Structure formats: C-alpha cells, structure tokens
Amino acid sequence: MPTLDTHGKIAAAEIAFYTPVAAFTIALVWRYAFRRDAGWLFLFIFSAVRIAEGALVLAGELTAQPKVDLFIAAYVLQAAGLAPLLLSTIGFLGMAGQSTYSEISRVSLIFRLTGLATLAGLGLSIAGGLLGTHVSPDKGDTGLILRRASAGVFAGAYVVLFLAHLGCWSYHFQMRSYRLKLLGGATLALPLLGVRVAYAVLSAWSASDLFGTSLSSNPILAKFNPLNGQWVAYLVMSVIMEFVVVALYLLFSTVLSRRHGR
C-alpha cells in the first residue's frame, strides 16, 4: 500500500491548516459582502489553492499508479499560490488605510499596478509550469524563462509593497487605533513574506525543470529546490512562513482590529 513521504506529510498538514482558514475567510467575505477591501477574499483563494495543492499531492502519493498530471498540477499551484498571498497583502494594506492613505490617488494607483503585476506573475508562473511537461515537451527552455520571470515579478511586487507600507506609516497620526493595529500586523508579516518570496526566487533558479530532476550545478541553489532539495528549507522558508503570515493577517484583521475607542 502506498505511503506518504515527507512532502506528502507536509501536504496533509497544509490541508489541516488551511481548511478552517478557508471556512473562516469565506464566512468573513460573505458577512461583509465585499464592503471591505479584498484581503479576506484573496486569503480564501490562497487557502483554497493550498488545499487543492495538498489534495493533489496526497492523491498522487496514495495512488498505486498515479497520473503525472496530478503532480504537475500540484507543483504549478505550489509556485503560483504566492500570487493570492501577495494580493491579500494589498487588500489588508488597503483596509488599514481606509479614510486615510487609501483615499490618495497616488497610493491607490501603486496598489492597483502592483496587483496587476502580481496577476501577470501568476500567468507567467502557470504557463512556465506547463511548458516543458508533456503538455508542451519541446518548450522546456521557454518554461524555465517564464518561471524565473514570474519569480522576479513576485519579488518586484513584494519590494514595492514593502516600501509602500513604510510610507503608509507616515499617516499613522490620522488613523484610528484598530486600523493602525492592522497596519502593524502587516509590518510584522511582511518580513516573513519576504522570506517566502526569497525562497520562490531561489527555487526558480534551483533546477531547469518543474520536477527538479535537473538541479542547478550550484550546490547552494540546488538545496532550495522544493522537490529534490533540502525539505527543511522548503518547510521553514515556504510552508511555515505562509502559515505565520496567514495567521498574522487573520489575527490583526479580526480579533486585534475590533473597534475599541478611537
């Protein structure tokens, strides 16, 4: 009978973690009927992506004769899932700045352009993941370029968001306390999100194929391949960083951001 390897066990843990997160965030989206910025919506989408990714990995590992398409889909989602997490960051920064910096056209434009760039990175990631597989086996080089371009776009979007969030603090004296707490939560989460983005960049250069069979000749880069590199690096820099970022966003956008006083 097939058994789970380390990645399968991590996938099971992701399903266990993100299932209640998905239920909670969709309940928040339904309750507020999109009257707030879309941080919770994108957090729900991110959770759904991680649940789907985990389910595909489990299905592939627990099937006697698994189809390669299960693993292709899981590995594509693993990389592309960073996009909704970045988009949720934009949503929460926008939520924190309601009635203050979010009303400034320049800030709103920065958030919108960063969101569009993130969506472009998402498209590049999906296309790059498919090219070079049996879907289009003769375009592996193009797929590699697209995957690396996607990681670069995600990194650029993160840098813009980090710098923009620093600028948001200049409006702290105008912000109500509960919105200030949410901005503080973003400040705590962003460095951890940066670790996750850094892992995405390193993993994009860790191998020349989606399955990690052709690892980089650089032994340091090869360690950051999510499939055939060091699983501890994947667990800590990718999975756990995402867990903590999601937990911080939920904590500071709900419990700690309730309206008490000013």
Side-chain angles (χ1 to χ4, degrees):
M1 180 178 179
T3 58
L4 296 178
D5 62 10
T6 301
H7 284 83
K9 294 175 182 177
I10 293 175
E14 287 186 297
I15 293 174
F17 179 84
Y18 286 113
T19 297
V21 172
F24 185 54
T25 50
I26 196 61
L28 290 170
V29 171
W30 180 266
R31 175 182 178 183
Y32 290 100
F34 300 99
R35 290 194 300 271
R36 296 191 178 186
D37 285 277
W40 290 324
L41 173 62
F42 286 117
L43 209 55
F44 166 74
I45 294 173
F46 173 74
S47 300
V49 168
R50 287 294 176 251
I51 292 170
E53 174 200 344
L56 288 166
V57 172
L58 292 183
E61 293 196 3
L62 295 178
T63 303
Q65 295 180 337
K67 294 183 178 180
V68 68
D69 289 347
L70 294 174
F71 293 106
I72 291 175
Y75 301 155
V76 169
L77 289 176
Q78 196 278 326
L82 186 55
L85 190 56
L86 287 168
L87 291 172
S88 71
T89 303
I90 297 174
F92 288 124
L93 287 174
M95 185 189 298
Q98 285 182 353
S99 302
T100 53
Y101 60 78
S102 290
E103 309 303 323
I104 300 174
S105 59
R106 182 180 68 256
V107 176
S108 179
L109 180 62
I110 290 173
F111 285 163
R112 290 176 182 176
L113 291 178
T114 306
L116 289 174
T118 302
L119 290 175
L122 172 63
L124 292 172
S125 179
I126 295 173
L130 295 176
L131 296 179
T133 65
H134 68 83
V135 177
S136 185
D138 59 336
K139 294 185 178 180
D141 291 340
T142 302
L144 175 62
I145 293 172
L146 293 182
R147 289 195 300 275
R148 291 179 174 177
S150 172
V153 170
F154 288 155
Y158 169 79
V159 170
V160 171
L161 286 178
F162 187 86
L163 295 176
H165 118 276
L166 293 178
C168 293
W169 276 104
S170 63
Y171 298 88
H172 71 279
F173 58 90
Q174 302 174 6
M175 298 173 66
R176 294 185 179 274
S177 61
Y178 60 91
R179 297 197 186 280
L180 197 58
K181 289 178 182 178
L182 179 54
L183 182 59
T187 299
L188 291 176
L190 277 167
L192 305 179
L193 181 58
V195 174
R196 174 62 183 91
V197 172
Y199 183 83
V201 174
L202 291 170
S203 64
W205 265 262
S206 66
S208 59
D209 67 306
L210 182 67
F211 294 96
T213 56
S214 300
L215 292 174
S216 170
S217 58
N218 185 321
I220 296 178
L221 284 177
K223 293 178 181 179
F224 294 100
N225 186 266
L227 302 177
N228 293 315
Q230 291 186 350
W231 68 267
V232 174
Y234 167 67
L235 175 64
V236 174
M237 297 182 67
S238 179
V239 178
I240 292 179
M241 290 300 105
E242 291 180 349
F243 281 0
V244 178
V245 169
V246 168
L248 287 172
Y249 284 162
L250 283 180
L251 179 65
F252 280 88
S253 66
T254 55
V255 177
L256 296 183
S257 291
R258 291 177 179 174
R259 302 187 182 193
H260 297 301
R262 178 177 177 267

